[in-house]
Amino acid sequence: MLTANWIFRFGDGTSDQASGTLQALGWKGQSLAEMSRLRLPVPPGFTISSDVCSWWGGPESSSTGALRREVEYALAALANTTGRTFGSPTNPLIVSLRPSAAHSVPGLMDGLLNIGLNASTVEGLAEQSGDAAFAYDCYRRFVQSYCDVVLGIDPQDLEDILEELRAEACVPDGIKPSADVGRQIIRAFLAFVEDELGEPFPDDPMEQLWGAVGAAYKSWNGRRAILHRQAHGLPSDAGMAVVVQTMVFGNRGKASSTGVLCTRDATTGEKTLVGEFLNDSQGNELVAGTRKASSIRVEALAQSGCPTGFNSSIRESSEPEDTADVAPALVEALQQIACQLERAFCGPQEFEFTVEAGTLWLLQSREVTGQGKAALKIVVDLVQEGLISEEEAVLRIDPAMLDQLLHSTIDPSAARDELARGLPASPGAACGLIVFSCEDAEVAKADGKKVILVRNDTTPEDVHGMHVAEGILTSRGGMTSHAAVVARGMGKPCVSGAWTLSIDAAEKSLVVGDRVFGEGDLITIDGTSGQILVGEVPLQRSDLSGDFGTLLGWADKYRRLEVRSNAEQASDAIVAREFGAEGIGLCRTEHMFFDSERIVTVREMILAEDDEGRKEAIAKLLEMQRGDFIKLFTTMRGSPVTIRLLDPPLHEFLPKGERESAEVATAMGVSPEKLIKLAASLDEFNPMLGHRGCRLLVSYPGIAEMQARAIFEAAIEAGRLTGEPVLTEIMVPLVSLKRELVLVRSIIDATANDVMKETGETLYYSIGTMVELPRAALRAGEIAKSAEFFSFGTNDLTQTTFGISRDDAAAFLSTYQAKGLMDADPFVTLDQEGVGELMKIAVERGRATRPELKLGICGEHAGDPASIAFCEAIGLDYVSCSPFRVPTARLAAAQAVLRARKTS
């Protein structure tokens, strides 16, 4: 329960910060303690530790007796510092109260100002200030805020009373009512509250303070705060601190104001002070935007010109309309404070300030990171200015932000008519005309039109349509569905799992509620947020500056993990190399057959009635594969290329419908009826766990022989073209038995020997397997006897560990997360306790058999920062992700190393 350190004082040049942590004080409390230590002008106060939040039961709870005594002691200490007493009718101490969590949490209670005012103390404040109108303005503000935040009264009710009385007294907007009108407003407010609640408004200052404390703690468990913590993986039991601080008044006449200032421009990263302020006002007015604020934009001081001391007296005053009219003394003071804060906190800050009767005070300061290019510029500049190290710069950038920088985004100022929401399956935004078929997408593209391909789901046959579309929208599927995986590989925006959409491809209609859209209607999708918007919404694209390359160059210094890319086409490999990929970690050979002409040949091979027919189809595929591999090897010259042998779940390649069946029947020289029967004989109840991967290669060894020959002949030709040997890694998929791998390996080795004899050339290759089944992980020690490398296929390993279909999981995983059963979607962020445990077992057992065993990961988790940190921790050698996630992986891999150093 209570500890020795649960109230921390600050102000008057001292603080108890040394005994408090960020978790105990929250960011507001910690910033106030640090600014006090720097002897900056901070109104004195104290912070109630976040420990109290976990046991708070209300002001009358038996647990709060000790806390009450300590708060009273802290208030007495404030009285000694300020010369004012809380609750005194003649010389009152008035305070504010603000929640202070370690992380920003929307939904927490707004700050409550002017606590301690009542019928007696308001007269004391009037006497202190010599301005009764000001005192009653503060009292009125307090009653309004307290009724809203603590008592739960609709704020509009009191606002209506205020406007009516202001109108009767002919008080213009922006002008304080006279003291007499102020008294009339207070009487009306208090009478309304008593009628509404059946009891009077709290008059005792201590009762007011405890009511505010209770409201703050209650907001920690409010719906918005809970949802935010769940969405960002923040612990629910962390609690929050509460800051109680002496009031300073920005509404005390023309020489008073309140404002917010950033020490750098958060939109551009420039070292310019940017902010706004209001004369004769309090901070909540500035936040609410009820009055037009004046802007501040002035030059920042260089660190060499940063002062060592500070004088908070700025007696010049003005009523500015823009920066040019700001009192020079205020500008100079803000420049000095900004410089000191950046030096103290080692980075940009946003700070709140109040000027009371010519004296400047600081109320809080927090870190500003910026977004997009601005964030990169800020950290690079901070390194160049000597404020932070390269390592710290690498740690300050969110890797996911790099992903967004590589794609178009929606203009933040654009209006949005949201039609529906799905899963943010592939980042970026795109506008286009709705089309429901790949053929229509190709026709529209040929006519110079931009389209969004709208489907219930996608299959390998849709890839040609996905290639020409600006983006993809599906009503079904999850974050690792076919549409999501392929779109990320292409770098195209995708929204999947939009279950509220009713899509009828035959009727060419998309229906949401009572809204109906057809082919040719304009929509915009945002694959970063999952939004589906009506019409064409303005987009913006980032121009990647030198700061992008500088930061990634620093990251490469510190990371240990090699970063490769998944790619099947030379065009994807080119993009991957441009983004810094050090090889291809997964070439899915079945993706090379998605072309409408090639897929017919694959179907011929699968549906062949005898070995002769299958050999004919395989011979055709050999030529295709050889050409593809030559392009891939020459593009990745000198870098390793991992090629996964054919792994098609058969249902993805069997013909669907009469048209496709007739097409394949013609190519095979059989009747459509016979072909339909052949296809039906291969139909599977659960094709993802059916006749695929190495099982297909065991049944049809000619496929393994054909692919191995295509790989080896292409490697020799690419070596001749580039003058460099090709480093080929051949991966056998879906292995669960050592004997499966031994059999397929014997085919590959025999083919390699044949090709070397035929050409007189030496081949450089290794053979490994994809660990994507629990049995393979458990038997890794045995399997490693026949494998030079393992690559964890965590998409399938997650499916088979949980027994969850990744294409159907989106329908219920969000419910699991909302109810706290899962912290994250296991197809997005690796499940370290279950899937991760299997990976650890495979690493330990595999390397016990073969110490030099190369280990990598090629599932979608390879581009997820949290999953990459796990891969670093268990000692993998590389990660392989889609081309557009390579920069994210490079940064995340470096951060994993640096964070591990900090904790070791």
Side-chain angles (χ1 to χ4, degrees):
M1 270 233 318
L2 295 180
T3 69
N5 294 319
W6 50 272
I7 279 193
F8 303 87
R9 291 179 293 174
F10 59 83
D12 199 30
T14 62
S15 77
D16 295 334
Q17 181 193 32
S19 56
T21 63
L22 174 62
Q23 181 56 54
L25 301 177
W27 66 262
K28 285 188 182 77
Q30 189 175 60
S31 74
L32 288 165
E34 176 64 16
M35 289 191 294
S36 296
R37 189 187 64 79
L38 295 171
R39 305 192 71 81
L40 290 171
V42 174
F46 57 90
T47 301
I48 303 174
S49 167
S50 62
D51 291 341
V52 175
C53 185
S54 63
W55 57 261
W56 174 261
E60 303 306 320
S61 168
S62 59
S63 302
T64 58
L67 177 63
R68 182 184 289 271
R69 289 190 295 273
E70 292 303 317
V71 167
E72 289 172 353
Y73 177 80
L75 288 170
L78 272 185
N80 290 333
T81 302
T82 63
R84 303 170 189 169
T85 302
F86 192 61
S88 168
T90 57
N91 191 26
L93 171 67
I94 310 302
V95 299
S96 64
L97 183 143
R98 296 178 175 88
S100 177
H103 303 276
S104 177
V105 179
L108 295 185
M109 184 189 86
D110 293 333
L112 193 55
L113 311 182
N114 309 301
I115 299 171
L117 284 172
N118 57 25
S120 300
T121 57
V122 71
E123 297 298 339
L125 182 61
E127 182 68 25
Q128 275 180 359
S129 63
D131 187 346
F134 150 72
Y136 275 92
D137 182 55
C138 293
Y139 194 10
R140 184 268 305 170
R141 292 169 183 267
F142 168 60
V143 174
Q144 274 191 280
S145 297
Y146 198 90
C147 285
D148 176 20
V149 173
V150 180
L151 301 181
I153 292 175
D154 186 343
Q156 190 59 48
D157 291 337
L158 295 186
E159 190 65 29
D160 291 342
I161 294 171
L162 175 63
E163 291 304 313
E164 182 180 339
L165 294 176
R166 286 177 66 96
E168 288 178 4
C170 299
V171 180
D173 289 341
I175 302 297
K176 285 193 195 79
S178 67
D180 287 340
V181 175
R183 291 186 182 95
Q184 184 182 359
I185 292 169
I186 290 295
R187 285 195 295 269
F189 278 6
L190 297 182
F192 176 83
V193 171
E194 189 161 4
D195 287 345
E196 187 78 3
L197 300 181
E199 58 184 36
F201 183 88
D203 192 60
D204 176 27
M206 284 301 292
E207 183 182 351
Q208 295 171 1
L209 180 60
W210 287 112
V213 170
Y217 288 140
K218 183 179 179 181
S219 71
W220 174 256
N221 290 312
R223 183 172 180 273
R224 281 184 62 205
I226 290 173
L227 290 176
H228 178 83
R229 291 198 299 270
Q230 289 176 345
H232 292 82
L234 301 176
S236 59
D237 58 355
M240 68 173 191
V242 171
V243 174
V244 178
Q245 190 172 21
T246 302
M247 273 296 300
V248 288
F249 301 97
N251 59 327
R252 196 176 163 185
K254 293 182 179 180
S256 302
S257 60
T258 185
V260 177
L261 194 71
C262 286
T263 61
R264 305 202 184 206
D265 189 330
T267 59
T268 66
E270 294 175 355
K271 192 171 182 179
T272 302
L273 308 187
V274 180
E276 56 185 13
F277 69 102
L278 281 171
N279 264 357
D280 196 16
S281 69
Q282 292 193 344
N284 47 10
E285 278 183 285
L286 187 64
V287 174
T290 54
R291 288 172 53 196
K292 183 181 177 182
S294 300
S295 64
I296 306 174
R297 189 176 183 89
V298 295
E299 182 181 355
L301 295 178
Q303 282 296 316
S304 58
C306 198
T308 55
F310 182 75
N311 180 359
S312 63
S313 179
I314 47 170
R315 293 296 173 183
E316 299 177 59
S317 63
S318 65
E319 295 182 82
E321 292 299 325
D322 54 40
T323 303
D325 295 324
V326 178
L330 176 58
V331 170
E332 182 180 352
L334 292 174
Q335 287 175 312
Q336 291 177 4
I337 285 174
C339 193
Q340 287 181 283
L341 288 175
E342 282 212 350
R343 185 166 61 188
F345 290 104
C346 298
Q349 296 287 300
E350 178 186 84
F351 63 92
E352 293 183 23
F353 65 89
T354 288
V355 179
E356 180 183 354
T359 299
L360 176 62
W361 297 93
L362 301 184
L363 304 182
Q364 66 182 38
S365 183
R366 63 179 176 182
E367 181 184 9
V368 175
T369 58
Q371 286 296 317
K373 290 194 301 178
L376 298 180
K377 177 173 174 53
I378 286 170
V379 296
V380 171
D381 285 352
L382 290 174
V383 172
Q384 293 171 349
E385 293 166 25
L387 287 177
I388 63 173
S389 64
E390 291 178 3
E391 294 98 317
E392 181 61 29
V394 168
L395 287 169
R396 286 195 181 189
I397 296 297
D398 179 2
M401 188 183 67
L402 296 187
D403 205 9
Q404 297 171 20
L405 275 174
L406 303 175
H407 301 84
S408 295
T409 57
I410 292 178
D411 186 337
S413 63
R416 300 188 183 208
D417 177 4
E418 183 175 306
L419 178 64
R421 273 185 186 260
L423 297 173
S426 182
C431 307
L433 306 173
I434 292 174
V435 294
F436 296 93
S437 74
C438 297
E439 292 71 25
D440 289 339
E442 289 181 312
V443 170
K445 179 71 173 181
D447 290 341
K449 297 174 183 176
K450 294 182 177 181
V451 298
I452 303 294
L453 181 61
V454 177
R455 309 278 287 171
N456 282 309
D457 51 28
T458 63
T459 69
E461 291 178 73
D462 296 320
V463 170
H464 62 290
M466 297 171 76
H467 266 298
V468 299
E470 300 297 308
I472 298 95
L473 168 62
T474 68
S475 62
R476 296 197 287 262
M479 294 292 286
T480 54
S481 63
H482 177 269
V485 172
V486 174
R488 282 195 290 270
M490 293 178 177
K492 291 181 181 287
C494 175
V495 174
S496 65
W499 297 91
T500 58
L501 302 183
S502 177
I503 298 170
D504 189 329
E507 296 295 325
K508 296 187 176 181
S509 70
L510 182 158
V511 180
V512 182
D514 59 358
R515 306 180 77 172
V516 181
F517 297 82
E519 189 167 83
D521 289 336
L522 264 173
I523 59 170
T524 299
I525 62 170
D526 186 348
T528 304
S529 69
Q531 280 185 309
I532 305 151
L533 308 170
V534 177
E536 183 173 7
V537 182
L539 306 181
Q540 58 185 25
R541 187 171 181 88
S542 296
D543 292 322
L544 299 180
S545 67
D547 296 329
F548 184 87
T550 298
L551 181 78
L552 287 178
W554 293 338
D556 290 341
K557 285 184 185 180
Y558 302 109
R559 67 179 168 87
R560 181 194 63 83
L561 280 169
E562 184 179 302
V563 177
R564 300 187 186 183
S565 178
N566 304 337
E568 290 77 47
Q569 306 297 329
S571 57
D572 295 332
I574 290 169
V575 172
R577 292 211 77 153
E578 289 174 352
F579 287 146
E582 297 162 294
I584 300 298
L586 175 62
C587 170
R588 294 158 289 204
T589 53
E590 65 275 6
H591 285 204
M592 294 172 161
F593 301 122
F594 289 158
D595 178 87
S596 57
E597 293 181 6
R598 293 186 174 195
I599 200 166
V600 173
T601 307
V602 176
R603 286 169 174 162
E604 286 183 58
M605 177 187 71
I606 292 171
L607 294 167
E609 291 185 87
D610 50 41
D611 287 343
E612 192 60 36
R614 187 164 291 109
K615 284 180 181 178
E616 288 180 16
I618 285 174
K620 296 178 189 176
L621 293 175
L622 174 63
E623 294 299 318
M624 299 174 188
Q625 290 260 273
R626 186 192 296 117
D628 289 338
F629 292 144
I630 290 171
K631 292 176 184 176
L632 203 59
F633 292 149
T634 53
T635 300
M636 298 304 297
R637 55 189 299 168
S639 298
V641 177
T642 305
I643 297 174
R644 184 178 74 186
L645 298 183
L646 201 63
D647 183 26
L650 288 184
H651 73 291
E652 293 186 358
F653 284 89
L654 292 176
K656 300 172 182 64
E658 293 181 4
R659 183 184 62 80
E660 292 180 4
S661 296
E663 188 177 35
V664 178
T666 300
M668 293 177 64
V670 299
S671 68
E673 293 77 17
K674 185 173 183 178
L675 186 126
I676 290 172
K677 286 182 180 179
L678 283 171
S681 69
L682 295 174
D683 189 42
E684 296 178 305
F685 287 108
N686 191 347
M688 293 304 290
L689 295 178
H691 200 184
R692 55 171 286 212
C694 68
R695 300 160 191 169
L696 194 66
L697 304 177
V698 169
S699 298
Y700 306 120
I703 296 176
E705 183 181 352
M706 175 274 293
Q707 289 201 287
R709 178 169 284 277
I711 291 168
F712 293 138
E713 290 180 353
I716 289 171
E717 180 61 22
R720 290 170 179 163
L721 292 172
T722 63
E724 299 180 39
V726 173
L727 308 176
T728 308
E729 299 172 350
I730 300 175
M731 184 155 63
V732 181
L734 215 71
V735 165
S736 60
L737 302 167
K738 176 193 172 185
R739 282 172 288 182
E740 291 173 321
L741 180 59
V742 169
L743 176 60
V744 177
R745 180 178 186 118
S746 67
I747 298 170
I748 297 169
D749 286 333
T751 305
N753 289 329
D754 289 345
V755 172
M756 285 190 282
K757 287 178 184 176
E758 293 164 11
T759 61
E761 301 281 353
T762 301
L763 291 168
Y764 302 90
Y765 73 97
S766 58
I767 298 173
T769 186
M770 202 166 187
V771 178
E772 48 197 325
L773 296 173
R775 192 182 193 283
L778 295 172
R779 301 300 297 162
E782 182 182 41
I783 293 172
K785 293 176 183 177
S786 299
E788 279 91 45
F789 67 89
F790 286 168
S791 181
F792 291 98
T794 50
N795 295 343
D796 274 338
L797 189 56
T798 299
Q799 286 195 111
T800 53
T801 300
F802 276 97
I804 294 175
S805 164
R806 69 185 185 191
D807 293 323
D808 302 317
F812 59 86
L813 282 182
S814 58
T815 303
Y816 270 52
Q817 289 176 259
K819 292 187 175 182
L821 301 180
M822 286 183 172
D823 294 328
D825 183 335
F827 292 105
V828 176
T829 297
L830 191 71
D831 162 46
Q832 296 183 19
E833 294 178 348
V835 177
E837 185 68 17
L838 286 170
M839 292 174 66
K840 285 183 190 177
I841 290 170
V843 169
E844 292 167 4
R845 295 180 182 179
R847 282 194 168 146
T849 297
R850 188 186 293 266
E852 73 281 8
L853 184 70
K854 185 183 291 186
L855 298 167
I857 179 174
C858 58
E860 284 302 302
H861 298 105
D864 172 63
S867 305
I868 290 170
F870 178 77
C871 294
E872 169 66 31
I874 65 172
L876 299 195
D877 296 305
Y878 69 87
V879 298
S880 184
C881 54
S882 61
F884 281 84
R885 300 187 86 178
V886 167
T888 298
R890 289 166 64 189
L891 181 58
Q895 290 181 347
V897 171
L898 294 173
R899 289 200 175 103
R901 286 183 190 172
K902 281 190 171 185
T903 57
S904 62

